[in-house]
Amino acid sequence: QVQLVESGGGLVDPGGSLALSCVASGDIFRVDDVGWYRQAPGNRRDLVATITRASITTYADSVKGRFTVFRDNVKNTVWLQMNSLGPEDTAVYYCNARVIDRDLRSEDIWGKGTLVTVSR
């Protein structure tokens, strides 16, 4: 059983920063590509950033220059550093990962999300 747990969300003032983390645990052999997504109320879930195991990253245009994704493969953890936050960044943020378990099966895993609210 493999699970992803996001944390680090909360309430922040406009212009502020937050760092989200996504930790994979369980019967893991390897964590491959990881994506951060977000979903605002009434909206679809959108891709925010991705990172490969080799730490090659991509970002949505809306967050380029403000968000940074990085990882520690030993700790099976991926972070999303978010700076210069605005109300438009308010959403539930989800982590998604392709995980290879110890039976060498590939699984696509989602976390349950962490809420980020940007407001005074």
Side-chain angles (χ1 to χ4, degrees), residues 49-72:
T50 66
I51 185 166
T52 69
R53 184 166 177 83
S55 291
I56 297 170
T57 59
T58 65
Y59 297 93
D61 288 344
S62 58
V63 306
K64 279 180 183 176
R66 300 188 300 123
F67 290 13
T68 303
V69 59
F70 55 102
R71 67 189 290 166
D72 183 327

Side-chain angles (χ1 to χ4, degrees), residues 47-96:
L47 182 63
V48 174
T50 66
I51 185 166
T52 69
R53 184 166 177 83
S55 291
I56 297 170
T57 59
T58 65
Y59 297 93
D61 288 344
S62 58
V63 306
K64 279 180 183 176
R66 300 188 300 123
F67 290 13
T68 303
V69 59
F70 55 102
R71 67 189 290 166
D72 183 327
N73 290 332
V74 174
K75 296 180 179 179
N76 289 328
T77 301
V78 174
W79 291 269
L80 183 68
Q81 175 66 44
M82 307 185 295
N83 299 327
S84 303
L85 287 163
E88 68 277 10
D89 297 312
T90 295
V92 177
Y93 284 72
Y94 297 91
C95 179
N96 170 252

